[in-house]
Amino acid sequence: MRIVILGSGTVGTWIADLLCRNNHSVTVVESNVDTVRTINAELDIRAIHGSASESAILFQAGIIGCDLCLAVTGDDEVNIVAASMAKAMGARRCVARVYGRVFRDLSTFDYQRHFRIDRFLSLEHLSAVEFVRAIRSPGSAVLENFARGELEVQEVICDDPAPAIGKPLKEVKLPKGVRVGTIQRQGKTWIAGAGDSIEVSDHITLIGTREEIDSVKSKFQVKETPVRSVVIAGGGETGLALARMLEGQRYHVTLMEENMERCEFLARLLEFTTVVHADATRRAILEEERVGNMDVFVACTGDDENNIMACVEAREIGAKECMAIVQRPDYANVVEKLGINLAVSPRNVVARQVLGLLNSGPIISKKNLPGGGTAIVEFEVMPNVVATEHVIANLKLPPQCLITAIMSSDYVRVASADDRLTPGDTVVVLVEESTLDSVVKLFEEQS
């Protein structure tokens, strides 16, 4: 594929090298002339000196007709403008890296839709999603990044004598705004179908808004789920995103931040999180906050060494699970030996996202769930496709396929059987890999 990368900082260079090693044709646009010389000398890619937001430079980089444009400069506004221009000039898919939370907050303005950008990527948000998956369940389906944060996925452990036990899902009578996504039983996970019956101790994922999920939990769960305690060290964008995804579910979240002004800001945003003004890198502070009694400790400050040391201290005083953000790849072997359960590398996380975007036809992105066999796929609904001819209930979907969410210019919602897809929509589908080809045919333009 032909790929244009705008910006060659740490992330841009890492992605360019990765794509080059995967035999893609890569062109990089960079404003620093010395960096351009270095890239041309050391990597088997083409580097151009210039501004990513200038049309002449984009034209020179071959943006017209390229398969993917990645705007990953260090400036959010430049990335948004450049990705929007690239889309208008003919790039098939355009992605912009953003740091500021305001650009992903749909409550005031939808920047992504307005500028016709296919995807916003936030390293901080993606890293938080990795932690969420590990804390909830390693095999769980995390849709936060796909449904743009408007839908939640909550895991529920079914128990007796809940009303749904022993019944097929079609008889449970869930409201339109809630779907059962996956069922996990005895270590095996599969996509939920209408004929699947719920058994005691099943782990199911419910997809919908928080309020709608809370309204149906009692159908599957009678006993109160034990509340797990999570301590987050670092109130930056990663810590904030992680707290927002966990709070108000079955977690008691404490967020430790050493900057008082940031603490006040976090306290205003996080309704169900305890925000503590404290330095999480000091053992005495961790002991004072009783971190040793907590189920999960996550270190996501802006410093690798501080994250690693905080996890080591938390582990020594008794924290059951320890996780950390670790940027440097050469620390990978170190963290494993120190007993850290999970080390998340933002560069690796965004690289996996980019590789998931390298698709042809109507597929926007594809991500495999842990364990293999099942994928979360985003489809673009084009004019004159079979998927628009009937309501979802009448589409000839293969077994083990579930349309979970529909995103249009006006809304993001859980898909129901009587919904009809329209051109311009984006849909999120849970599908078994073996049946993906038959699903793709429903979204391919008819000749």
Side-chain angles (χ1 to χ4, degrees):
M1 286 188 169
R2 290 200 301 116
I3 300 162
V4 176
I5 299 176
L6 309 178
S8 62
T10 303
V11 174
T13 304
W14 171 263
I15 294 173
D17 184 40
L18 175 68
L19 294 174
C20 182
R21 285 187 273 114
N22 280 272
N23 300 316
H24 296 285
S25 173
V26 181
T27 300
V28 170
V29 174
E30 169 58 41
S31 58
N32 185 299
V33 66
D34 292 330
T35 304
V36 170
R37 291 195 190 99
T38 301
I39 291 174
N40 281 324
E42 297 180 358
L43 299 178
D44 187 22
I45 60 179
R46 176 184 175 223
I48 296 173
H49 175 244
S51 170
S53 56
E54 291 184 11
S55 58
I57 298 297
L58 294 179
F59 181 81
Q60 185 182 349
I63 207 72
I64 298 174
C66 79
D67 296 292
L68 179 65
C69 173
L70 300 168
V72 290
T73 74
D75 189 306
D76 286 359
E77 288 79 4
V78 170
N79 290 339
I80 292 171
V81 170
S84 181
M85 290 173 60
K87 188 72 173 181
M89 292 176 70
R92 181 170 165 270
R93 302 278 186 223
C94 292
V95 176
R97 175 192 174 183
V98 294
Y99 174 81
R101 190 177 57 87
V102 64
F103 296 117
R104 293 182 293 107
D105 183 1
L106 301 179
S107 63
T108 54
F109 189 76
D110 191 339
Y111 289 87
Q112 184 178 324
R113 288 279 182 184
H114 179 79
F115 288 99
R116 298 181 63 243
I117 298 171
D118 295 293
R119 174 66 56 80
F120 277 176
L121 287 186
S122 163
L123 272 67
E124 297 73 26
H125 180 79
L126 291 172
S127 299
V129 167
E130 291 294 306
F131 287 127
V132 167
R133 179 181 291 113
I135 292 169
R136 286 182 187 159
S137 171
S140 66
V142 180
L143 298 185
E144 279 89 346
N145 189 52
F146 291 85
R148 302 172 67 196
E150 292 199 28
L151 299 179
E152 288 193 359
V153 179
Q154 293 190 29
E155 185 181 65
V156 174
I157 303 174
C158 303
D159 59 26
D160 200 19
I165 298 298
K167 292 183 180 179
L169 286 175
K170 60 186 176 185
E171 296 180 12
V172 177
K173 296 181 180 179
L174 293 175
K176 287 180 62 175
V178 181
R179 297 294 297 269
V180 177
T182 59
I183 301 173
Q184 185 178 20
R185 182 183 301 157
Q186 298 178 349
K188 182 183 178 182
T189 301
W190 68 92
I191 299 165
D196 285 320
S197 294
I198 301 300
E199 297 183 5
V200 174
S201 300
D202 282 354
H203 290 232
I204 65 170
T205 51
L206 296 176
I207 305 168
T209 64
R210 180 173 298 181
E211 295 76 15
E212 289 174 318
I213 291 175
D214 288 342
S215 71
V216 303
K217 273 186 180 178
S218 59
K219 291 180 180 288
F220 302 95
Q221 188 178 62
V222 176
K223 301 171 187 174
E224 285 292 327
T225 304
V227 176
R228 299 188 74 198
S229 52
V230 180
V231 176
I232 303 169
E237 289 301 313
T238 302
L240 172 58
L242 177 57
R244 294 189 77 168
M245 282 185 243
L246 293 178
E247 69 169 1
Q249 299 183 24
R250 52 188 176 92
Y251 304 95
H252 179 272
V253 183
T254 302
L255 180 57
M256 303 173 71
E257 168 59 42
E258 62 178 330
N259 183 286
M260 188 60 193
E261 186 177 347
R262 180 69 177 177
C263 280
E264 293 172 350
F265 171 76
L266 294 169
R268 290 194 296 271
L269 288 179
L270 299 168
E271 184 178 356
F272 302 103
T273 297
T274 302
V275 180
V276 179
H277 178 224
D279 181 1
T281 62
R282 296 174 56 192
R283 184 183 181 116
I285 297 295
L286 297 179
E287 291 176 340
E288 183 180 328
E289 296 300 328
R290 300 183 179 180
V291 169
N293 298 328
M294 301 300 179
D295 294 302
V296 184
F297 177 81
V298 184
C300 48
T301 71
D303 184 276
D304 282 359
E305 288 78 10
N306 283 344
N307 290 338
I308 292 171
M309 290 308 299
C311 279
V312 170
E313 298 283 15
R315 168 71 75 183
E316 287 188 356
I317 63 177
K320 297 178 181 65
E321 292 182 53
C322 295
M323 307 176 186
I325 289 282
V326 180
Q327 304 267 5
R328 289 179 55 173
D330 53 333
Y331 281 176
N333 293 329
V334 175
V335 296
E336 187 176 339
K337 293 174 182 176
L338 293 174
I340 297 174
N341 300 88
L342 175 67
V344 172
S345 164
R347 289 197 306 182
N348 289 341
V349 170
V350 78
R352 287 197 296 272
Q353 284 288 321
V354 170
L355 291 176
L357 291 165
L358 300 177
N359 302 287
S360 57
I363 296 178
I364 298 174
S365 67
K366 175 175 171 286
K367 182 175 179 61
N368 292 330
L369 292 181
T374 305
I376 305 176
V377 184
E378 271 185 303
F379 286 97
E380 180 180 10
V381 181
M382 306 295 291
N384 191 33
V385 298
V386 174
T388 62
E389 294 177 357
H390 308 281
V391 296
I392 291 175
N394 294 333
L395 293 178
K396 294 182 179 179
L397 295 171
Q400 291 297 294
C401 173
L402 179 67
I403 297 178
T404 59
I406 303 172
M407 293 174 279
S408 77
S409 56
D410 301 320
Y411 57 79
V412 176
R413 70 169 182 238
V414 173
S416 64
D418 55 357
D419 279 328
R420 186 164 184 157
L421 305 179
T422 59
D425 288 347
T426 300
V427 295
V428 181
V429 181
L430 279 169
V431 60
E432 285 287 340
E433 289 269 21
S434 58
T435 62
L436 180 57
D437 288 344
S438 59
V439 179
V440 169
K441 291 178 182 177
L442 296 175
F443 293 91
E444 287 180 330
E445 292 185 88
Q446 305 298 300
S447 56

